Amino acid sequence: MRRRLLLSTLAVAIVAILLLGIPLAYATHKLIYEEARQSLEREAASILGGVGFSLESKQPITTQKIAQEYPGRYITITLPGNQVVTAGARPPSDAGLLTASADAGGTHVQVSQEAREVRDAALRQLALIGGLAALGVAVTVGLAMVQARKLTLPLIDLAETADRLGSGNARPRRRRYGIPEVDRVAEVLDRSAVRIADLLAASREFASDASHQLRTPLTALSMRLEEMIEAADYPDVVREEGAAAVAQAERLVAVVEQLLARSRHDRTGAAVPTRIDDIIAQQVEEWRPIFRRAGRDIRITGHTGLVGMTSPEGLSQIVATLLDNSLVHGCGTVTITTKPGANSVVVEVGDEGPGIPPELEARIFERSVTSGKGTGLGLYLARSLAVVDGGRLELIQARPAVFGVFLRQASEARLAEERVVSGPV
């Protein structure tokens, strides 16, 4: 592109210079010869006047003085009586001459000049015009190279940016080049880079969330299958464990659907009035064997029969995350307490461990914050699930750790629906 732009600019410049230079050279050449002829005519008239004055005043005609006054001229003066007087050096016989003459009172004056002198002057002017034309072409080439570089380098840079986007490097460069059209393309590429970066971040976040959220159900499912293998000689136990494994697989499907909803940025939630006792009992049933293997236990206290607004799958994931967090980071018996709040239903999960380190207490729900024994995603995802259903997850006590899940009461949700006022029909 740079070469084509340079050649096209050079061609335009040469055509423009020729269109202007050729008429200028012709006019200059003609003007020089015309000025030389007029100069000879003036000189002839001037000499004629001087000769006439000399004749009238009876003074001698001094040819040497005339030659000094008009150097480079060959002057022939024909006086009355056909007397001929010459001044100046006689040009060679084969030299071309430019002549001019003047007559008055029987006196004839002829002034001659070698055409070579005029021709040399004309050639010097033509050479000057040619030099200026060459200088114009050189300046045009220089400007064309600068302009071509100014136009092509941004395009090369934009091509590199597009190639980086295609290779997965979605960092916007935010470079501008002072050319409106090119700057517009750069802005579009920067916006595309931001969108691609968001998509890549969302993809990595989804993969991380999926691996974390699926780990717990898969662990429970593998434990059920191991117990089925160990109880192969007891059909009733196998049947019971098989039914539990099927239920766990269904919950695993629900977790996958919930993760897919999160990847589609579905934040509307699917909260419905849910019996909290059923969710707690189901989670305790799954986790108690794991805790007993670790020499620990789970205890349920508080009020029964509470109903909160939540999605069963979401609350199950939140409680499972808190139990898994207690299993990894805590110790002693885990206590799950359910109780009504002022405007909510509260589910508290606590253990007898050392609790949250002071330096992590303020950032415990941030993504990737961990004490070194986990991924730092569990509490972050659990709080996200609570927010989706209109609830919240809070750290009630740091040492020993007690987390609280605050759910909307079913009566509050019904009251909010009743407050919706429709317009006149």
Side-chain angles (χ1 to χ4, degrees):
M1 178 180 178
R2 184 182 300 180
R3 182 179 180 182
R4 290 196 299 270
L5 184 60
L6 181 62
L7 291 178
S8 61
T9 305
L10 182 61
V12 171
I14 290 176
V15 171
I17 290 174
L18 290 178
L19 290 177
L20 294 176
I22 291 177
L24 178 62
Y26 175 77
T28 301
H29 183 271
K30 186 175 180 181
L31 180 62
I32 290 174
Y33 274 88
E34 184 66 22
E35 286 183 350
R37 183 184 64 79
Q38 292 178 359
S39 177
L40 291 176
E41 289 178 354
R42 288 192 300 270
E43 291 175 358
S46 177
I47 294 172
L48 179 62
V51 170
F53 178 77
S54 297
L55 292 175
E56 290 179 358
S57 60
K58 305 299 182 177
Q59 295 179 3
I61 300 174
T62 307
T63 57
Q64 185 178 3
K65 183 178 180 180
I66 294 175
Q68 291 177 352
E69 291 180 355
Y70 300 96
R73 303 291 188 267
Y74 179 68
I75 303 168
T76 303
I77 303 173
T78 304
L79 300 174
N82 295 324
Q83 180 183 357
V84 178
V85 179
T86 61
R90 179 184 296 271
S93 58
D94 57 347
L97 297 177
L98 293 177
T99 61
S101 60
D103 298 289
T107 302
H108 179 78
V109 177
Q110 179 177 320
V111 181
S112 302
Q113 177 186 7
E114 290 189 26
R116 176 177 56 81
E117 297 179 0
V118 180
R119 184 172 61 251
D120 291 343
L123 289 177
R124 285 195 297 271
Q125 294 298 322
L126 293 179
L128 177 61
I129 294 174
L132 292 176
L135 179 62
V137 172
V139 171
T140 302
V141 171
L143 293 176
M145 293 178 64
V146 172
Q147 191 67 16
R149 180 180 178 85
K150 183 179 179 181
L151 291 176
T152 55
L153 286 183
L155 296 179
I156 295 174
D157 196 33
L158 291 177
E160 293 177 355
T161 301
D163 184 64
R164 287 192 309 102
L165 291 179
S167 62
N169 185 356
R171 180 176 56 85
R173 306 183 72 173
R174 307 193 185 283
R175 290 184 182 176
R176 297 298 179 265
Y177 309 96
I179 305 173
E181 294 78 6
V182 178
D183 288 347
R184 195 174 303 117
V185 175
E187 291 175 3
V188 172
L189 286 177
D190 284 346
R191 289 198 297 269
S192 301
V194 172
R195 288 195 294 268
I196 291 174
D198 290 341
L199 291 175
L200 291 175
S203 176
R204 296 189 186 102
E205 182 178 350
F206 174 74
S208 177
D209 294 350
S211 63
H212 182 276
Q213 293 296 86
L214 293 176
R215 178 174 57 84
T216 300
L218 288 174
T219 301
L221 182 59
S222 64
M223 289 184 60
R224 295 291 184 183
L225 295 176
E226 290 175 0
E227 292 179 358
M228 290 174 63
I229 295 173
E230 293 176 357
D233 297 332
Y234 304 95
D236 294 337
V237 176
V238 172
R239 189 179 297 107
E240 180 181 354
E241 294 297 329
V246 171
Q248 185 63 40
E250 292 176 352
R251 283 191 290 274
L252 184 60
V253 172
V255 170
V256 172
E257 293 177 350
Q258 194 170 30
L259 287 171
L260 291 176
R262 283 172 52 82
S263 69
R264 293 191 296 266
H265 301 280
D266 184 3
R267 293 293 184 265
T268 59
V272 295
T274 304
R275 290 179 56 85
I276 306 302
D277 295 342
D278 295 341
I279 303 298
I280 300 298
Q282 173 256 321
Q283 287 298 315
V284 170
E285 181 182 357
E286 289 185 9
W287 284 91
R288 181 164 279 160
I290 303 176
F291 273 82
R292 285 179 175 173
R293 287 185 179 183
R296 301 172 60 186
D297 197 10
I298 302 176
R299 184 166 59 94
I300 302 175
T301 63
H303 295 72
T304 60
L306 297 178
V307 178
M309 293 298 298
T310 182
S311 62
E313 298 83 3
L315 182 57
S316 296
Q317 284 297 304
I318 296 172
V319 175
T321 298
L322 295 177
L323 291 175
D324 181 56
N325 194 64
S326 177
L327 179 65
V328 175
H329 302 283
C331 61
T333 301
V334 176
T335 302
I336 301 177
T337 304
T338 56
K339 60 183 180 180
N343 295 308
S344 60
V345 175
V346 184
V347 179
E348 295 182 356
V349 179
D351 58 35
E352 301 170 349
I356 309 298
E359 65 273 12
L360 299 180
E361 186 175 343
R363 303 186 301 118
I364 192 63
F365 290 106
E366 294 181 10
R367 189 181 185 88
S368 301
V369 173
T370 177
S371 62
K373 298 181 181 179
T375 62
L377 294 174
L379 294 177
Y380 165 78
L381 295 175
R383 170 172 274 191
S384 300
L385 293 173
V387 171
V388 166
D389 291 335
R392 67 183 194 276
L393 174 62
E394 304 289 347
L395 177 62
I396 298 177
Q397 180 178 301
R399 286 171 293 277
V402 178
F403 292 91
V405 184
F406 295 82
L407 306 173
R408 292 180 298 158
Q409 293 182 350
S411 59
E412 179 185 349
R414 286 193 294 270
L415 181 59
E417 294 177 357
E418 292 171 0
R419 288 176 180 172
V420 177
V421 179
S422 60
V425 180

